[in-house]
Amino acid sequence: MELLEYGEAEKSSSSLGFMELLSMQDFGPSLFDLLQGTLIPSVQLQVEPLPQDHSPELFLNPPTTPNSSSISSESTAGQNDEQTKEIVDGEEEEEEEEEEENHKTKKLLKPKKTASQKRQREPRFAFMTKSEVDHLEDGYRWRKYGQKAVKNSPFPRSYYRCTSASCNVKKRVERSCNDPSIVVTTYEGQHTHPTPVMPRSPAAVHALPPYSAFSAPDGPSAEMVLSHPQQHFNFSVLLNCGYTHAGPTNNTVSSGGGGGQSLRFCSDQSSALLTDHGLLQDVVPWSATKKEE
DNA sequence: CGATTTTGACCGGCGC
DNA sequence: GCGCCGGTCAAAATCG
């Protein structure tokens, strides 16, 4: 269960991914133990309101050790907070159908997208992993729908979409230009379904996206900071969410004022937050079925 | 043969 | 208004 050693895990098998790590009841000690015990000496998970064009290296913390990796969370929802419109899961599905129609009609090219209906930004969660493979297995099935060269980076960025019918989770995978061994994976959206496929072998699980543990807080943006100073573990997440969660979840809200509300939590609160928000609901099965690592 | 990947074209947002 | 760039589409190619 190497959080960082995707590459290693890739070869050696027997690894738990983010999902599994995060699928634990919460960000309790176990996770931190895992992290500090065998994995990341220092994990930085941070999301900031970024300009649309943010290169991954912005988050990159050059590993201080071969095994270290950084986790970053990002979001660009802030760029269009006023468009936080009301795309919740249900509506997304409708929109999907609608889009399908558009697709069928070929290139009508989404006339439905008016200024007021600008594409809703899903909460995004990026993390960096050291891996030799670009596309890390995370338990879900993805279909690649695009690849683009990225400015300021010699490495292309790949775009994947969850193959599940009503699930429009996307992810982007790119390599850091600073450190080609680091893969930056950005998840966008939340899976609306349980993990479709259990890895046939432990080796199949290299990275289980942590984003699911940070489902949309109640607000355009949220920041979570989990820290265990005494363990030299610093885990911070900042989520920017372009939509409001279906459920009322403002028990931990503390508007951050300024450009976009930001929620900041400390480690103890974070687990509560995660729990309260049912953030791990979709990974529970993992937890339940979690085998030894 | 269905699912997935590749790849060039297209669109929209944004900065100048 | 124009060009750049990120993101997406969809036909063709490839794979299992």
Side-chain angles (χ1 to χ4, degrees):
Chain A
M1 44 126 102
E2 287 68 9
L3 186 60
L4 332 170
E5 300 180 359
Y6 285 144
E8 317 304 324
E10 192 79 29
K11 306 169 229 164
S12 63
S13 81
S14 90
S15 71
L16 266 180
F18 281 115
M19 187 72 95
E20 283 190 50
L21 288 173
L22 294 166
S23 71
M24 300 175 196
Q25 291 310 314
D26 51 35
F27 275 98
S30 52
L31 173 57
F32 290 113
D33 287 347
L34 289 173
L35 291 172
Q36 70 97 24
T38 60
L39 308 172
I40 316 170
S42 168
V43 177
Q44 286 271 0
L45 224 172
Q46 190 153 9
V47 184
E48 301 163 21
L50 297 165
Q52 180 152 20
D53 185 4
H54 47 274
S55 45
E57 59 267 26
L58 288 177
F59 310 107
L60 189 75
N61 295 326
T64 52
T65 72
N67 277 346
S68 68
S69 79
S70 301
I71 299 181
S72 299
S73 175
E74 62 173 306
S75 167
T76 58
Q79 62 185 326
N80 41 5
D81 357 305
E82 84 278 1
Q83 301 155 0
T84 51
K85 269 214 112 198
E86 65 298 317
I87 293 187
V88 290
D89 292 347
E91 264 182 85
E92 277 178 37
E93 290 181 14
E94 290 180 27
E95 177 175 83
E96 219 175 52
E97 291 176 14
E98 223 178 313
E99 270 183 1
E100 238 174 60
E101 297 244 335
N102 286 340
H103 296 167
K104 282 172 191 168
T105 54
K106 268 249 168 174
K107 296 204 170 170
L108 296 184
L109 293 174
K110 320 158 187 164
K112 64 166 192 153
K113 266 187 201 165
T114 65
S116 61
Q117 288 182 314
K118 246 194 276 182
R119 180 187 304 272
Q120 182 62 46
R121 277 292 173 201
E122 298 280 344
R124 297 210 284 179
F125 189 98
F127 61 98
M128 290 179 277
T129 58
K130 232 174 159 48
S131 173
E132 294 174 3
V133 294
D134 288 342
H135 192 195
L136 302 166
E137 182 59 53
D138 59 6
Y140 290 91
R141 298 190 54 174
W142 301 92
R143 192 164 66 107
K144 190 175 186 175
Y145 66 89
Q147 176 172 308
K148 287 281 289 184
V150 184
K151 197 188 172 196
N152 295 330
S153 174
F155 307 101
R157 172 184 296 160
S158 297
Y159 298 88
Y160 298 89
R161 180 175 292 153
C162 184
T163 59
S164 190
S166 59
C167 180
N168 60 347
V169 175
K170 298 171 205 166
K171 79 172 177 179
R172 298 182 303 222
V173 178
E174 62 188 279
R175 286 197 175 273
S176 165
C177 62
N178 288 352
D179 187 347
S181 67
I182 292 181
V183 176
V184 180
T185 306
T186 304
Y187 289 88
E188 183 172 328
Q190 293 178 257
H191 289 284
T192 59
H193 58 96
T195 310
V197 289
M198 289 295 284
R200 299 146 200 88
S201 73
V205 184
H206 306 307
L208 298 173
Y211 67 91
S212 60
F214 307 108
S215 69
D218 188 23
S221 72
E223 176 180 358
M224 263 196 298
V225 176
L226 322 175
S227 60
H228 268 216
Q230 74 266 37
Q231 298 184 356
H232 308 294
F233 179 78
N234 190 346
F235 189 73
S236 68
V237 181
L238 179 63
L239 286 179
N240 246 335
C241 302
Y243 65 83
T244 50
H245 197 275
T249 57
N250 53 357
N251 43 338
T252 52
V253 165
S254 72
S255 181
Q261 305 92 324
S262 72
L263 318 178
R264 189 178 286 273
F265 310 97
C266 289
S267 58
D268 52 339
Q269 293 173 300
S270 63
S271 31
L273 169 78
L274 297 175
T275 304
D276 290 351
H277 291 193
L279 301 172
L280 296 172
Q281 53 190 9
D282 61 341
V283 296
V284 165
W286 279 94
S287 182
T289 60
K290 178 161 121 20
K291 318 172 183 100
E292 87 304 322
E293 46 275 359

